[in-house]
Each structure stands twice: as C-alpha cells, then as structure tokens.
Amino acid sequence: MTNTNEFYAGLTPLYHLIYPDWGKSIKRQGDMLDSVIREMWGPASEVLDVSCGIGTQALGLSSLGYNVTASDLSPEEVDRAKQEAAERELSVDFSIADMRRAFDHHQRQFDVVISCDNSIPHLLSNEDIRAAMQQFYSCIRPGGGCIITVRDYEKEDLSKQQVKPYGIREDNGIRWLLWQVWDPHPPMYDVTMYFVEDRGETTCRTYALRSTYYAIGIPMLVKLMQQAGFDDVRRLNNRFFQPMIIGTRKAQ
C-alpha cells in the first residue's frame, strides 16, 4: 500500500465528492460538534483540529464563531483547506503537522481538541495512537476536552474482501462513481478508493487511491485515552455520523 501522504495527495482534489453535498456536510458536522462541545465543556471558544483534511469540521466550527486552529499531515490538504476558508471568508490558522507531534508543533493549549472522520486509524499501532493521545492531552487546557470520531470496526466483517459503495455524484457537469474495496489482513486492512470520471464519452478515467488502516475497536481507543491521562472517557452514539469517543482533562 502507498503511504498516507500519497493517498491524501491524490485524494485532495476529489475529497468533496465523498459527501453527497459537501457544503451541507460542513454545516451539519459543525452543528453536531458544537452541540457536544457546549453540552460537555460549556462555553468553549478555541478548538484545535489535529487532522483537518480539506477543512470539513474546521470550516463548520469557524462559521459558528469558534477560534479554530487546524493542522494535518498532508500539505496538499492543508493548501486546499486554506483556499476553502478564504473563499468563505473564514479565519482559520492552518498548518502542516503530524498528529503525533501536535503539542510539539502548536506549543499551546486549547479548550477542545478534535480528530474526526476516522483519522486516528491511520496510525497503525497502539503505541502510535497512545503517543498521539498524549499530545492531544498536552494541547488541552484543564477542564477542556477531546473528541475523536471513528468507524465502529466491531460491526465490520474483516474476514473477507468487501466493497463499500458511495454512489454517484454530479460535479460541474461531470458524473463520478465512487466505491471502496477493503482487503483485510487483521488487525489491518488495505483500502482502495475508486473514483470513475465519466464525461459522457466512450471511455472513462479511473483514479485508484490506496492506503492502510488499523481496525482498532472503540474499547481499545477508550483504554488508550485513559492511559494518556483523560478522565470520564466514554462513547457517544447518535451524535455524529460516526461514533464519538470523548475525554476530559481534569480541572486543576
């Protein structure tokens, strides 16, 4: 499999196609995160997104008035996120950083740290995930919290190859067909994301982007967050399009 940076370099210009309507997803995800932040940690104002991608959650929260700082390992995604923020006249402080070095890079604390849309499973060992969690913890002010969202791998059949259809998208007069193929080798699985570009001609162009994920279960993620120092670590269902795992840095 190609590495994570190569995967996202290829995915960056196509990323919005994963969502049926990316603009609506930006707003909906921002609203969902805002609801949890207010319920769990009160009037927070500063958020750090440690795996911002092209900005889906960062843009949504910024549009609600949060002071958002955001970073990602992929230079291409960060560049696009900056462009998307500028087009929306949103002020987000974007930079390039590995989530396992979040505090080393940002060198300050925030009310809330987020890592959404199944970014954590790009880290392929418990040791790497724990190291990332420890960095998140260092980035959070006492009394603040962390939100992680992931696939619920305990509901997935990783005993055989799978096809995950995303459907058809229309974008600027071009039809796109999207699907994933999973090739499991537990506890990992290789993903190939296919984008077929149909311009109405006799041939179509297909983009195949490949990466590897760690199918880590939510109970293990909870344990690793606790080991990193977080209190009141728990799973929240039906608050986002994926399960949430939240934890709090105890107030001093």
Side-chain angles (χ1 to χ4, degrees):
M1 286 286 113
T2 54
N3 67 31
T4 302
N5 263 9
E6 290 173 345
F7 176 73
Y8 282 107
L11 183 60
T12 296
L14 305 171
Y15 202 119
H16 64 285
L17 296 171
I18 292 173
Y19 302 95
D21 186 321
W22 187 50
K24 289 182 179 178
S25 292
I26 290 171
K27 183 181 186 310
R28 182 169 58 250
Q29 292 188 34
D31 289 343
M32 290 176 172
L33 289 166
D34 175 56
S35 173
V36 173
I37 290 169
R38 289 179 180 278
E39 178 183 332
M40 300 299 169
W41 302 292
S45 61
E46 291 195 301
V47 174
L48 171 63
D49 184 345
V50 295
S51 53
C52 66
I54 63 170
T56 307
Q57 297 82 32
L59 297 174
L61 289 171
S62 179
S63 70
L64 293 173
Y66 285 89
N67 181 1
V68 181
T69 300
S71 55
D72 196 276
L73 186 64
S74 167
E76 293 82 5
E77 288 198 308
V78 169
D79 283 347
R80 179 167 178 191
K82 289 178 179 178
Q83 294 169 13
E84 297 289 349
E87 289 176 9
R88 293 165 173 79
E89 298 183 340
L90 296 172
S91 178
V92 180
D93 181 10
F94 287 107
S95 60
I96 300 164
D98 187 322
M99 69 172 73
R100 292 169 294 184
R101 303 289 182 268
F103 184 74
D104 297 340
H105 174 75
H106 293 286
Q107 287 290 307
R108 55 182 292 246
Q109 292 182 321
F110 303 82
D111 298 315
V112 177
V113 170
I114 66 170
S115 178
C116 298
D117 204 1
N118 211 49
S119 296
I120 290 290
H122 277 299
L123 303 178
L124 302 182
S125 70
N126 290 344
E127 291 72 25
D128 271 355
I129 294 173
R130 186 186 300 108
M133 300 282 194
Q134 290 168 340
Q135 291 278 302
F136 302 170
Y137 184 86
S138 295
C139 286
I140 297 168
R141 295 186 180 107
C146 180
I147 298 175
I148 292 166
T149 81
V150 292
R151 282 184 179 269
D152 189 350
Y153 286 112
E154 293 176 319
K155 293 184 177 179
E156 299 288 350
D157 182 2
L158 292 174
S159 67
K160 59 186 179 182
Q161 190 178 68
Q162 297 186 52
V163 177
K164 301 282 189 180
Y166 278 66
I168 300 171
R169 310 283 190 257
E170 299 287 342
D171 188 61
N172 294 321
I174 302 170
R175 173 177 291 179
W176 294 86
L177 288 77
L178 286 68
W179 69 93
Q180 286 186 357
V181 174
W182 290 15
D183 293 292
H185 46 102
M188 313 299 172
Y189 67 104
D190 298 329
V191 171
T192 305
M193 186 85 195
Y194 293 91
F195 294 80
V196 176
E197 180 183 8
D198 181 359
R199 294 178 175 265
E201 300 168 354
T202 55
T203 60
C204 297
R205 184 170 184 177
T206 300
Y207 302 82
L209 309 171
R210 310 180 195 278
S211 190
T212 301
Y213 285 83
Y214 172 20
I216 184 169
I218 289 174
M220 178 55 72
L221 280 173
V222 169
K223 181 178 180 180
L224 293 173
M225 283 191 78
Q226 291 169 334
Q227 290 175 357
F230 287 98
D231 278 346
D232 193 23
V233 181
R234 50 186 150 139
R235 170 179 176 159
L236 299 181
N237 294 319
N238 304 317
R239 300 299 298 271
F240 203 68
F241 75 96
Q242 294 172 333
M244 281 183 170
I245 304 96
I246 66 167
T248 297
R249 178 167 180 169
K250 185 180 292 185
Q252 292 177 339

